[in-house]
Amino acid sequence: MSYEFDDNPEGVRLQRVLAAAGLGSRRACEQLIEEGRVEVDDKLVVVQGMRVDPKKAVIKVDGLRIASAPNHVYIVLNKPKGVVSTMSDPEGRPSLQEYVGDRETRLFHVGRLDADTEGLILLTNDGDLAHRLSHPSFEVEKTYLAEVTGPVARDVGKRLKQGVELEDGLVQIDSFRLISQVGSRVMVEVKLHEGRKHVVRRALAEVGHPVSQLVRTDLGPISLGNLRPGKQRKLSQQEIGALYRAVGL
């Protein structure tokens, strides 16, 4: 997104900001304003031609906040197994740097995954959003697929939801379900708000089912979908808005 903002101290016309955010042509964005679907700083916009500071204004369309700051980046990466969740590694292991290191803007990764775990990593330079998504007080739910050795007893899910005691305290999961079973190989889905190190692996091991493979598929409202390991994609405005809503921004 670009606005020639520095040459205009009064800001940028709202319809230009909406169009630059990918919400349609300027005329289509003017129509959004005419229909009463746009808010700026929690106030409904009722006239055309309003100017805003896209770096500071909180702009919502149909109740969902949009990413209006021109330099903000929001990326989902499917981290492959063997890659560490840091921008560099003193041991020389593959890191996130290999996937996003060519960008001029420094990105923060949201939610660490251990080297043996694959799956969803969110990368952004939106510091407020990254902080809230990472902070346990905002309780953003995470979804994992885990391969374990079966059979899995019927009461395993109940035990995990009631809570199991680990060396650093009690852990309770939100939901547990069996996805598939081929012989002794069982795939289960685990959802939880916890962010402690190796918590899914440790919880499943505690109930007698050590994990052989683990993938994080969802972070709050964001899903990997069919994104292959090592690939990345930009978040849509709808997804960014859903993330803002999930953490109260």
Side-chain angles (χ1 to χ4, degrees):
M1 291 185 265
S2 65
Y3 302 109
E4 300 175 2
F5 178 70
D6 293 337
D7 297 329
N8 193 342
E10 295 181 358
V12 181
R13 289 191 183 276
L14 179 58
Q15 60 265 41
R16 283 192 64 196
V17 177
L18 296 174
L23 294 173
S25 66
R26 290 194 201 177
R27 180 65 195 111
C29 293
E30 288 171 355
Q31 186 68 28
L32 292 175
I33 296 169
E34 288 174 13
E35 294 172 357
R37 298 166 61 185
V38 182
E39 300 172 47
V40 175
D41 297 333
D42 293 324
K43 294 181 180 179
L44 186 67
V45 180
V46 295
V47 296
Q48 301 288 348
M50 180 181 185
R51 290 183 179 272
V52 298
D53 181 345
K55 298 177 182 177
K56 299 178 180 178
V58 176
I59 303 169
K60 295 181 180 179
V61 177
D62 295 332
L64 278 182
R65 183 174 173 181
I66 68 165
S68 58
N71 64 331
H72 276 174
V73 177
Y74 306 84
I75 293 171
V76 164
L77 169 70
N78 188 346
K79 185 191 82 66
K81 186 175 182 179
V83 176
V84 294
S85 297
T86 59
M87 287 301 176
S88 63
D89 182 62
E91 298 178 24
R93 293 173 295 180
S95 70
L96 300 177
Q97 178 79 9
E98 298 185 18
Y99 298 90
V100 295
D102 58 344
R103 294 178 176 270
E104 294 181 7
T105 306
R106 180 192 174 196
L107 300 179
F108 305 98
H109 56 280
V110 176
R112 298 173 68 94
L113 293 174
D114 63 71
D116 288 334
T117 300
E118 302 175 37
L120 192 156
I121 288 275
L122 178 65
L123 298 125
T124 181
N125 57 349
D126 185 335
D128 289 342
L129 180 62
H131 169 73
R132 292 200 178 202
L133 286 171
S134 301
H135 201 282
S137 66
F138 291 96
E139 297 189 337
V140 177
E141 188 174 71
K142 306 166 188 70
T143 303
Y144 295 84
L145 288 179
E147 184 182 303
V148 300
T149 301
V152 176
R154 295 177 66 119
D155 68 340
V156 165
K158 182 179 179 181
R159 290 171 60 192
L160 287 166
K161 285 185 275 189
Q162 288 177 338
V164 294
E165 193 70 38
L166 304 179
E167 64 270 20
D168 53 355
L170 188 74
V171 60
Q172 292 176 288
I173 70 163
D174 300 328
S175 73
F176 175 91
R177 66 188 181 105
L178 191 147
I179 301 297
S180 64
Q181 181 168 355
V182 179
S184 62
R185 296 174 61 185
V186 180
M187 189 70 69
V188 299
E189 179 190 81
V190 176
K191 294 187 178 186
L192 75 170
H193 291 86
E194 278 275 5
R196 280 181 278 173
K197 190 173 182 180
H198 305 313
V199 67
V200 175
R201 292 179 182 274
R202 292 189 291 140
L204 287 171
E206 186 65 24
V207 295
H209 296 285
V211 173
S212 56
Q213 291 188 54
L214 187 64
V215 180
R216 182 162 65 200
T217 60
D218 300 77
L219 176 65
I222 310 304
S223 296
L224 272 183
N226 59 3
L227 193 67
R228 296 174 64 83
K231 299 299 183 181
Q232 58 183 274
R233 66 174 177 84
K234 294 180 179 179
L235 293 188
S236 68
Q237 283 290 348
Q238 191 75 15
E239 289 176 312
I240 296 168
L243 280 175
Y244 280 138
R245 176 176 285 176
V247 296
L249 281 173

